[in-house]
């Protein structure tokens, strides 16, 4: 399965958030590495847990910044995060039951959702934060 690679167009202009997005991509790639055979199912479940934990940490970072600076679209953005978290958790349960076939389905979902979310939703706050958060933070 093709791995996800970082592109400059994914940058939202806030260094901490870009670092977290890159790390989310790394976790997806780790999952791709582990999703081949059923004997790897323990590694798959560990990596899915890592994804859920790190996604939660990342969403909290974004939402706290939105709260702090009064980002107007925080409500709908939070809903997107909740949707991702719930769906990933549900798919993870299926993946643990059915192993590698579902692991590839979940990888497709993670790749698609994260790249689209960064490009369509996170990108909307790029201009908003640009004026408020100093570069390099
Ligand atoms: Fe994000
Ligand atoms: Fe987001």
């Amino acid at each position: 399965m093709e791995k996800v690679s970082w592109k400059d167009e994914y940058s939202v202009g806030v260094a901490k958030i870009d670092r977290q997005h890159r790390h989310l991509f790394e976790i997806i790639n780790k999952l791709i590495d582990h999703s081949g055979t059923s004997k790897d199912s323990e590694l798959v479940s560990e990596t899915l847990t890592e994804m859920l934990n790190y996604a939660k940490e990342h969403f909290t970072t974004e939402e706290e910044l939105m709260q702090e600076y009064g980002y107007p679209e925080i409500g709908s953005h939070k809903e997107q995060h909740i949707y991702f978290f719930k769906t990933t958790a549900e798919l993870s349960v299926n993946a643990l039951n059915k192993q590698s076939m579902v692991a590839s389905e979940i990888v497709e979902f993670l790749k698609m959702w994260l790249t689209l979310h960064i490009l369509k939703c996170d990108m909307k706050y790029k201009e908003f934060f640009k004026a408020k958060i100093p570069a390099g933070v």
Side-chain angles (χ1 to χ4, degrees), residues 4 6 9 11 29 43 46 49 51 56 74 79 93 95-96 98 100 102-103 105 111 117 119 122-123 131:
V4 277
W6 178 264
E9 65 183 292
S11 174
N29 287 337
L43 286 170
E46 277 174 22
T49 304
M51 168 56 83
K56 192 167 213 163
I74 184 170
E79 281 172 24
V93 172
L96 296 189
K98 295 180 200 159
S100 62
V102 183
E105 283 172 28
K111 280 164 74 168
H117 181 79
L119 290 172
D122 289 347
M123 212 49 74

Side-chain angles (χ1 to χ4, degrees), residues 17 21 58-59 62-63 66 77-78 80-81 113 117-118 121-123 125:
I17 294 179
H21 285 158
H58 166 60
F59 294 157
E62 276 188 2
E63 290 169 14
M66 289 175 184
H77 201 115
K78 271 187 174 177
Q80 292 261 344
H81 289 167
W113 192 93
H117 181 79
I118 291 171
C121 301
D122 289 347
M123 212 49 74
Y125 61 59

